[in-house]
Amino acid sequence: MGQLSNYVLEKVFPPKCNFCGHTLKDGEKGICDKCVEELPWIDDGEACGKKIDGISTCVSALWLQGNVFESIRRYKFRNCSLFANTYGRIIADRVRKFLSGRYDIITWVPLSEERKKKRGYDQAMLIAMAAALELDDVAVETLRKEKDTSAQIDIQDVEQRRQNVQGAYEISDPALVEGMRILLVDDVVTTGSTLSECAMTLRDGGAEDVLCVTLARARDGELVPGELDEQ
C-alpha cells in the first residue's frame, strides 16, 4: 500500500528539481541533468580556496548565485527542508574528493533555539545528517548556539560581523571534541565569520583540527543580497 501511495503522490505532485523547479525525469534525483551541467560549480582548483581563521581547509561545491541562491533561500525560509537530501549528496561528493581520511567526526553550525523554533528546523543539521548518511557515517552535535545573534546580513562591516558572533557558541560535550579532527558542515559561507567562531570554539575545547564543507560560497568581497546569509 505504501508503494502505491507513493506512486499516486508522485503522479499528482511530481518531484521537481531543487534548483530550477522543473519536473524531474525518471532517474533524476533532487537535481535535473540540466542543472548538473549548468549550475555554477566551483572548479577543483578553487574548491578549497576560502581562507578562514581556525579552519585548515574549507571546501565548497557551488558559487552562491542564480538558482543556487534561490534554492537555498527556499530551503531556509520557505519550509523546503527536504532539499537537505540533495544538498547532502552534493556535499558528500566534495568530502570524498577533498577531505577523505582527514576527519574523525562530522558536525554542523547550529542555530539558536529561538531561530530554530521560528524556522522549524536547523538547516545545517539536516544537511550534515544527510551528508553523513551518504558517507556511511553519522553527524553528532558538538556545539550549541547560546546567544541569538543578529542576522549577519544586517551587518555590512566584516569586523562587526566577527563581533556579532563572538562568544555565541559553546561546546555541548567536551569529551566528544577533545583530540578530534572535526568536519564542520554549513549551507553557505560568505565572510567566514560564523565558521571561524565555531572553529575557534572547537579548538579551544581541545579539537586537534577543524575542517569545513559548505554547499555554496560567495565570491571574496561579495556580500550576499537579500535575506540569505550564514545564519
Side-chain angles (χ1 to χ4, degrees):
M1 189 65 181
Q3 290 182 344
L4 178 60
S5 298
N6 289 338
Y7 175 80
V8 172
L9 282 173
E10 287 190 1
K11 290 300 180 183
V12 177
F13 303 105
K16 299 182 184 298
C17 176
N18 296 170
F19 292 93
C20 70
H22 291 163
T23 300
L24 294 174
K25 300 174 184 176
D26 289 344
E28 296 177 338
K29 191 176 180 182
I31 180 171
C32 68
D33 290 342
K34 184 177 181 181
C35 281
V36 170
E37 292 294 325
E38 297 182 358
L39 285 178
W41 300 97
I42 299 175
D43 64 43
D44 289 356
E46 294 182 284
C48 305
K50 185 70 175 179
K51 305 298 183 184
I52 300 174
D53 290 344
I55 293 176
S56 57
T57 305
C58 182
V59 178
S60 302
L62 293 153
W63 293 114
L64 188 56
Q65 61 191 52
N67 282 345
V68 177
F69 174 90
E70 292 301 326
S71 175
I72 299 175
R73 184 177 64 84
R74 291 195 299 273
Y75 172 62
K76 293 175 75 166
F77 302 107
R78 302 295 183 268
N79 200 32
C80 293
S81 59
L82 291 178
F83 285 14
N85 296 323
T86 302
Y87 298 164
R89 288 194 298 274
I90 293 171
I91 280 179
D93 285 341
R94 285 276 132 162
V95 172
R96 291 189 194 99
K97 190 163 190 176
F98 294 101
L99 303 175
S100 182
R102 295 181 57 186
Y103 62 91
D104 301 307
I105 57 176
I106 301 172
T107 191
W108 62 88
V109 175
L111 286 181
S112 67
E113 286 300 317
E114 291 84 352
R115 192 153 305 180
K116 185 162 64 173
K117 287 178 183 177
K118 181 178 180 180
R119 185 165 297 163
Y121 51 91
D122 185 326
Q123 80 275 352
M125 180 185 74
L126 294 184
I127 296 172
M129 289 182 169
L133 188 62
E134 290 288 323
L135 295 164
D136 294 321
D137 207 333
V138 294
V140 295
E141 182 186 60
T142 61
L143 294 168
R144 289 191 300 263
K145 191 175 186 184
E146 296 297 334
K147 183 171 71 172
D148 186 31
T149 57
S150 301
Q152 294 283 68
I153 191 60
D154 297 330
I155 305 170
Q156 299 300 305
D157 181 75
V158 173
E159 182 56 34
Q160 288 180 357
R161 285 185 171 214
R162 291 195 186 100
Q163 293 175 7
N164 182 51
V165 294
Q166 190 170 14
Y169 300 93
E170 292 182 0
I171 293 175
S172 57
D173 185 352
L176 188 63
V177 168
E178 188 172 1
M180 293 290 105
R181 300 172 301 168
I182 298 176
L183 176 58
L184 189 61
V185 177
D186 205 1
D187 53 353
V188 302
V189 55
T190 54
T191 64
S193 299
T194 299
L195 287 167
S196 179
E197 182 65 22
C198 288
M200 293 300 189
T201 302
L202 291 167
R203 286 182 181 275
D204 288 346
E208 178 183 322
D209 193 14
V210 182
L211 309 163
C212 170
V213 61
T214 71
L215 177 69
R217 183 175 102 209
R219 295 183 186 276
D220 289 342
E222 183 178 80
L223 293 180
V224 180
E227 59 192 345
L228 183 62
D229 207 344
E230 297 171 2
Q231 297 294 306

